[in-house]
Amino acid sequence: MKIPKTIDELQEDLKKKKYSATELVRYYIERIKKYDKKINSFLTVSEEYAYSKAKAVDKIISNNKNFFNEFPLLGTVVAHKDLFLTEGIRTTAGSRVLSSYVPSYSATVCKRIEKAGAIMIGKVNCDAWAHGASGENSDFGPTKNPWNIRFVPGGSSSGSAASVSSGFATFSTGTDTGGSIRQPASFNNLVGLKPTYGAVSRYGVIAMASSLDCVGHLTKSVRDSKTIFDVVRGVDGKDSTVVNSKFQIPSSKLMKIGIPKEYFDVGIDGEVQKNVYSAIDVFRNAGYEIAEISLPHTKYGVATYYIIQTAETSSNLSRYDGIRYGEYRDKFGDEAKRRIMLGTYVLSAGYYDAYYLKATKVRSKIIEDFRKVFDLEGIDAIIAPVSPSPPFKLEERTDDPLKMYLSDILTVNASLAGLPSLAVPCGFSKNGLPIGFQIIGPKFSEYTLFKLGEFYQSQNNWINKEPDLEE
Ligand code: GLN
């Protein structure tokens, strides 16, 4: 069975009855059984559930082929990050604390995706509580990068990325607090959307750091990313940070793209620079105006993020007190404990002003940097690398938390500013590992990012390359 890469093509096949949704699910399940032992992307395969949904989908399709207009995700197969609550199906957050937790309701995003016709195939691995940039903090063992299993798939949405690039699902959901969708997407040759803070409901998604958490998804194409965004965005009445904002309508003229010099400074791997510069050339050659810009507070991003994020994390994790959801607090892993301690420290009397309060002020400076380029310099969108290096080797950074934290240097600033950012694949390193770039825009400019991303993929589509799982 040859499964196409995008939602449109998949639905075309289903319409033409090349295969049924049930056959599609069987194909994925068999593939997971055959190959996931070495990738470790799934924590729970919801086989029975998937077959029963597939049966329902097949019934809908046989009744009326036009249902594809009514159900935009009809027949697609989704893997949810194990941070998303799924009614009746175990949800662990990648942590032993929740190893036997079965939620009594589903996250808004899971419900909306299901209502649009998608079939959930299972729950995928992640760094415990979404703390990490490599997938190695999962209490259920690290996920491996399908492009080379000696390398990390990125994190924290490690299983979300590895499952889609391994061909175990059509798309996956993820969360991005400081880069956890964009970085694993770019380590796996995928498109990853971190929406504007407040564009998508987080109801039913286990919280990491509440002023930063965003819910998004990983796909092969930008067009699919847009299709899913249309389904999940908007007010649900259950997450008060969500607003039904007017989304920016993409400009019909050639836009002005800013290249932040701080994102290409020393410390960025040469191959990453080269590939991202070639992506920029695609826009330049098509007549887009490319301007060098400066975001001078970029260098304070990691320090600011790791104060604000740990403060909020320590507060959010206090609800796991051994009484309500699962196991005792001694089941927390090292990284969660580190963040609880750091966060408690920066919030404690005597240190609050010196660390937490100061970090919130620097955050304002970072927000202001972006505002200046978008509002005063007329920049429509920013293009930059996602990660300072291609995927790194397993265990390369596990002994040194600071080194791991520095993996986030190019993603945390958009998070601190609440801006949308779309990661798009732009090639491979010499040893065959994926590299991506990100397009960052002003708040609620998602459709501008999609337009730019779709243009890039129309010129240079790397998604036709696939990892070889037989190796
Ligand atoms: N790597 C970052 C961290 O560990 C980002 C995590 C995330 O976005 N969930 O905090």
Side-chain angles (χ1 to χ4, degrees), residues 81 130-133 155-156 175-180 208 305-306 309 339 408:
K81 185 176 186 176
H131 303 162
S156 63
T175 59
D176 191 312
T177 301
S180 280
M208 177 179 166
Y305 170 83
Y306 274 93
Q309 173 263 117
R339 294 192 192 212
D408 307 330

Side-chain angles (χ1 to χ4, degrees), residues 81 83 127 129-134 137 155-157 175-183 208-209 212-214 305-306 309-310 313 335 339 404-405 407-408 411-412 415:
K81 185 176 186 176
L83 219 59
D127 286 297
W129 310 105
H131 303 162
S134 70
N137 289 333
S156 63
S157 306
T175 59
D176 191 312
T177 301
S180 280
I181 289 175
R182 289 164 284 162
Q183 186 248 26
M208 177 179 166
L212 295 154
D213 291 347
C214 292
Y305 170 83
Y306 274 93
Q309 173 263 117
T310 53
T313 295
E335 186 59 31
R339 294 192 192 212
M404 190 68 89
Y405 296 170
S407 317
D408 307 330
T411 45
V412 289
S415 300

Side-chain angles (χ1 to χ4, degrees), residues 248 250-257 283 287-290 378-381 447-449 451-452:
Q248 186 190 86
S251 158
S252 53
K253 46 180 194 25
L254 286 173
M255 293 180 241
K256 188 169 169 187
I257 296 173
F283 290 96
Y288 284 87
E289 187 181 343
I290 308 292
I379 296 292
D380 293 294
Y447 293 96
T448 298
L449 309 188
K451 185 175 175 189
L452 293 168

Side-chain angles (χ1 to χ4, degrees), residues 153-221:
S156 63
S157 306
S158 47
S160 306
S163 60
V164 176
S165 74
S166 297
F168 299 152
T170 321
F171 72 96
S172 61
T173 52
T175 59
D176 191 312
T177 301
S180 280
I181 289 175
R182 289 164 284 162
Q183 186 248 26
S186 67
F187 278 13
N188 281 274
N189 197 36
L190 297 174
V191 171
L193 173 70
K194 173 225 173 294
T196 306
Y197 182 82
V200 179
S201 168
R202 301 165 306 171
Y203 178 72
V205 179
I206 294 170
M208 177 179 166
S210 303
S211 78
L212 295 154
D213 291 347
C214 292
V215 164
H217 43 267
L218 297 89
T219 56
K220 294 226 162 108
S221 76

Side-chain angles (χ1 to χ4, degrees), residues 8 25 29 35 80 181 229 271 290 303 306 332 335 379 411 435 450 459 462:
D8 286 346
V25 165
I29 300 261
Y35 296 113
H80 289 302
I181 289 175
F229 186 64
E271 290 196 278
I290 308 292
Y306 274 93
F332 275 128
E335 186 59 31
I379 296 292
T411 45
I435 293 174
F450 293 139
Q459 303 296 306
W462 300 95

Side-chain angles (χ1 to χ4, degrees), residues 125-163:
N125 208 352
C126 58
D127 286 297
W129 310 105
H131 303 162
S134 70
E136 294 164 291
N137 289 333
S138 166
D139 288 348
F140 303 98
T143 301
K144 315 285 170 53
N145 191 316
W147 295 87
N148 183 332
I149 57 168
R150 285 177 296 119
F151 288 77
V152 305
S156 63
S157 306
S158 47
S160 306
S163 60

